[in-house]
Amino acid sequence: MSDSKSNFFEDVYDVVRLIPKGRVTSYGAIANYLGLRRSARMVGWAMNQSHGDESIPAHRVVNRNGVLTGKHFFAGGEHRMQELLEAEGVRVKEDQILGFDEVFWDPVVELGI
DNA sequence: GTTCTGACTGGGT
DNA sequence: AACCCAGCCAGAA
């Protein structure tokens, strides 16, 4: 579209909202889905800007290592992100998701390209 | 205006 | 295997 301004953030938020409960994805997966394979940082940056919007399950977005890298940005304590994930059935240990491959949700695979 | 950093990732050393 | 570096883009100093 011609009026591409900050649509990137909108797209990121849209994909994050599509993450099913009990599933997680990575910044790179979202970036890849948006065609910005190497712009995973921007996804994280978009999440930072989304801080405060409870409609965006940012806790379901982790890095490719399955580590809750963004936990430190959650309000209510650093363990809030872990609590949110565990409440959805995602096991977390030492800020790392257990069975990451089982709960991983890839928008490119699930939604299609 | 330049410079640096960042909720990342992949490849190279 | 561990560490380092480059790439991507946007916002702050």
Side-chain angles (χ1 to χ4, degrees), chain A residues 10 36 42 55 57 72 75 77-78 81-82 88 92 94 108 110:
Chain A
E10 298 279 329
L36 301 170
M42 301 299 91
S55 65
H72 212 48
E78 299 178 8
M81 187 175 182
Q82 178 175 337
E88 297 180 353
V92 180
E94 298 284 312
V108 177
E110 302 296 337

Side-chain angles (χ1 to χ4, degrees), chain A residues 20-58:
Chain A
K21 179 182 178 182
R23 300 282 183 173
V24 297
T25 191
S26 66
Y27 305 97
I30 296 172
N32 187 20
Y33 177 73
L34 297 177
L36 301 170
R37 177 169 55 87
R38 295 179 178 173
S39 299
R41 292 186 183 183
M42 301 299 91
V43 178
W45 204 258
M47 295 281 90
N48 191 359
Q49 296 302 309
S50 71
H51 186 282
D53 192 330
E54 298 178 357
S55 65
I56 302 175

Side-chain angles (χ1 to χ4, degrees), chain A residues 66-98:
Chain A
V67 179
L68 283 53
T69 50
K71 64 166 188 171
H72 212 48
F73 288 72
F74 276 77
E78 299 178 8
H79 288 266
R80 186 57 198 272
M81 187 175 182
Q82 178 175 337
E83 290 176 0
L84 290 170
L85 289 170
E86 289 181 332
E88 297 180 353
V90 179
R91 296 169 299 168
V92 180
K93 177 82 180 240
E94 298 284 312
D95 300 329
Q96 182 176 338
I97 295 176
L98 301 178

